[in-house]
């Protein structure tokens, strides 16, 4: 068997995962200090994790925008009720939000840039207080985007606006594909008998 040459994106992913811990911490500490001082939603020139962005639909062309979103970390705590009750029945702790942080980041980016459509997003970094995501957005009015077959499912005439609120996530798509592969042959065999 021939050895297959690795791409540059493979090495980028390896660098991001396996870089020396001390070096990575020093680099990331400087970067995160800058990010923390910046506004919570910022348009960036190029993605921080290029290999991940390219996997999820980023292309360096006119009409494609990357935004970095900062979200507060921590649990979803409710206000304590004013009336008296025992602590177990307060209904304050252990309550989780049904949305993932990633979905919240996508929705905030979509609200900040109302003329753009969200393609995808990915986790970038964490620090003690915040969690950072990068969101890939596209401008459907650009001719370069309309002519691109990769974005035709997002910018087509039949696709409703603001698809971020009701689009299927990658995990759901994979589950649907898996069920089609496993269940459909069994159903067809059952009909044939």
């Amino acid at each position: 068997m021939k050895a297959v040459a690795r791409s540059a994106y493979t090495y980028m992913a390896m660098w991001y995962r396996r870089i020396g811990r001390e070096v990575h911490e020093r680099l990331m500490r400087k970067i995160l200090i800058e990010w923390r001082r910046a506004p919570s939603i910022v348009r960036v020139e190029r993605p921080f994790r290029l290999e991940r962005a390219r996997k999820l639909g980023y292309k360096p062309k006119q009409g494609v925008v990357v935004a970095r979103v900062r979200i507060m970390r921590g649990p979803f705590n409710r206000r304590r009720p004013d009336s008296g009750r025992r602590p177990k029945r307060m209904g304050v702790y252990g309550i989780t939000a049904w949305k993932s942080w990633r979905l919240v980041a996508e929705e905030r980016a979509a609200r900040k840039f109302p003329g753009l459509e969200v393609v995808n997003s990915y986790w970038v970094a964490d620090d003690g207080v915040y969690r950072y995501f990068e969101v890939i957005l596209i401008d459907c009015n650009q001719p370069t985007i309309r002519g691109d077959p990769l974005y035709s499912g997002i910018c087509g005439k039949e696709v409703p606006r603001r698809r971020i609120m009701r689009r299927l996530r990658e995990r759901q798509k994979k589950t649907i594909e898996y069920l089609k592969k496993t269940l459909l042959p069994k159903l067809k065999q059952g009909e044939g008998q």
Side-chain angles (χ1 to χ4, degrees), residues 7-192:
S7 68
Y9 297 122
T10 308
Y11 286 108
M12 283 181 201
M14 285 169 54
W15 176 85
Y16 196 80
R17 275 186 262 124
R18 298 180 186 170
I19 191 169
R21 191 153 181 82
E22 293 173 11
V23 178
H24 189 263
E25 280 179 4
R26 267 188 251 134
L27 285 172
M28 285 307 292
R29 190 172 294 140
K30 288 181 181 177
I31 291 167
L32 289 173
I33 287 168
E34 292 173 15
W35 287 2
R36 203 185 266 200
R37 289 177 181 157
S40 60
I41 302 171
V42 182
R43 181 178 174 173
V44 291
E45 284 189 29
R46 61 183 66 86
F48 187 72
R49 294 178 61 191
L50 183 62
E51 91 291 343
R52 189 76 183 121
R54 289 301 297 264
K55 251 185 209 177
L56 296 176
Y58 169 78
K59 285 186 179 182
K61 65 193 303 185
Q62 192 176 10
V64 180
V65 175
V66 178
R68 186 177 59 243
V69 181
R70 185 181 72 205
I71 293 176
M72 198 81 151
R73 288 180 72 177
F76 174 70
N77 287 340
R78 295 188 180 215
R79 284 184 57 211
R80 292 177 71 83
D82 297 331
S83 59
R85 62 193 78 176
R86 60 198 169 118
K88 183 180 180 180
R89 302 297 176 205
M90 287 280 185
V92 175
Y93 302 113
I95 300 164
T96 55
W98 65 272
K99 290 181 187 177
S100 66
W101 293 120
R102 188 175 153 195
L103 182 61
V104 171
E106 288 178 3
E107 287 179 356
R108 288 185 187 177
R111 229 176 288 134
K112 173 82 173 179
F113 303 103
L116 305 178
E117 288 290 336
V118 174
V119 176
N120 223 319
S121 65
Y122 52 94
W123 174 88
V124 179
D126 282 344
D127 63 14
V129 182
Y130 298 108
R131 184 167 281 150
Y132 300 91
F133 292 91
E134 281 186 353
V135 182
I136 304 163
L137 304 113
I138 55 169
D139 183 6
C140 290
N141 298 323
Q142 289 283 345
T144 53
I145 298 296
R146 282 191 176 174
D148 196 331
L150 178 68
Y151 304 123
S152 62
I154 301 168
C155 294
K157 289 180 182 176
E158 69 281 349
V159 179
R161 294 284 297 151
R162 311 315 302 159
R163 60 187 277 281
I164 177 61
M165 305 304 174
R166 55 188 167 273
R167 76 186 177 93
L168 287 173
R169 304 206 60 77
E170 293 82 33
R171 218 177 308 144
Q172 290 171 328
K173 284 180 186 174
K174 285 178 184 175
T175 306
I176 290 167
E177 288 170 12
Y178 172 75
L179 290 172
K180 281 181 181 176
K181 284 180 186 175
T182 56
L183 290 179
L184 282 178
K186 289 179 183 177
L187 291 172
K188 288 179 182 175
Q189 286 177 355
E191 289 173 5

